[in-house]
Amino acid sequence: MRVNFTVNGRQQEADDVWEGESLLYVLRERLGLPGSKNACEQGECGSCTVRLDGVPVCSCLVAAGQVEGRDVVTVEGLAEFAKQRDEHGHGGACGTGGGCGGKGGVTLDAAKQWQAKPGDSQTGEGVELSNIQQAFIDAGAVQCGFCTPGLLVQADALLEENPSPSDQDIRESLSGNLCRCTGYEKILDAVRLAAARQSEAV
């Protein structure tokens, strides 16, 4: 089958997709976006986390056919997505339009309106890092880097929905993302740093 969907603000088409193929496979093998990592393939480690219509999901558990006509943001497009959100208020962890349990959010249509610029690299290279990406570097939260893309996508969604998360909020939000290298403290520090910088910028 053929699947048409938006990835990082660009319309994409994947041909000859078989019924059991995952979104993760399509992103990595068909579209050349290796940021989302293939680790457990069971939705247990969070290394393949992407945003689907604004909501973080494990792309290894999403059938490629389910993304027809939908919007996907991978770690490669995270910086541009965050920039567009900051400038125009688009994006949203509650992209389905129902609101975030009273916390606000935007409609799915509004979330889909952000667009990557034609000159931007598909791989995210040459784009100024987002707040959370820079915080991970500054806090030393990256070791081998295998889990980092999923953590970044999940943490970005957390800070979008909850700009001032408690330590418990951070731990709960990142509980589905496993890191084999760290004791998680630097990762928590990075999210705290990003939240502090975000509140200063407002």
Side-chain angles (χ1 to χ4, degrees):
M1 68 179 154
R2 175 177 296 159
V3 182
N4 294 282
F5 60 115
T6 303
V7 182
N8 299 331
R10 291 182 177 83
Q11 196 63 36
Q12 298 284 0
E13 183 178 282
D15 284 323
D16 298 323
V17 175
W18 58 281
E19 295 79 14
E21 203 164 301
S22 70
L23 172 59
L24 176 62
Y25 184 88
V26 170
L27 292 171
R28 290 180 58 84
E29 306 301 329
R30 295 186 182 275
L31 301 182
L33 295 168
S36 305
K37 298 297 185 269
N38 186 359
C40 72
E41 293 189 273
Q42 297 176 358
E44 295 291 331
C45 73
S47 295
C48 66
T49 303
V50 299
R51 294 183 75 166
L52 178 60
D53 294 338
V55 180
V57 297
C58 289
S59 59
C60 70
L61 297 181
V62 177
Q66 290 179 287
V67 301
E68 175 68 33
R70 298 175 76 181
D71 185 62
V72 175
V73 176
T74 70
V75 70
E76 289 92 345
L78 190 61
E80 185 64 28
F81 179 73
K83 181 180 174 186
Q84 293 282 334
R85 179 182 59 219
D86 292 345
E87 291 176 359
H88 306 293
H90 298 146
C94 303
T96 54
C100 294
K103 294 184 181 181
V106 297
T107 65
L108 175 57
D109 289 338
K112 287 183 173 182
Q113 289 177 14
W114 81 279
Q115 291 290 323
K117 295 175 184 67
D120 293 337
S121 169
Q122 182 179 356
T123 61
E125 296 173 36
V127 178
E128 184 179 344
L129 297 177
S130 69
N131 177 36
I132 189 66
Q133 290 170 316
Q134 190 61 55
F136 262 65
I137 292 170
D138 295 343
V142 179
Q143 287 196 21
C144 84
F146 198 84
C147 67
T148 306
L151 283 163
L152 288 169
V153 171
Q154 183 66 45
D156 180 74
L158 165 66
L159 294 177
E160 182 180 283
E161 184 176 331
N162 182 358
S164 301
S166 66
D167 281 359
Q168 183 61 30
D169 293 333
I170 298 170
R171 289 175 189 274
E172 274 186 37
S173 178
L174 301 183
S175 63
N177 295 77
L178 302 180
C179 175
R180 293 165 177 84
C181 298
T182 72
Y184 294 96
E185 278 308 313
K186 294 292 186 183
I187 293 167
L188 297 176
D189 287 345
V191 180
R192 293 181 194 116
L193 176 59
R197 287 175 174 169
Q198 187 170 284
S199 64
E200 285 176 4
V202 173

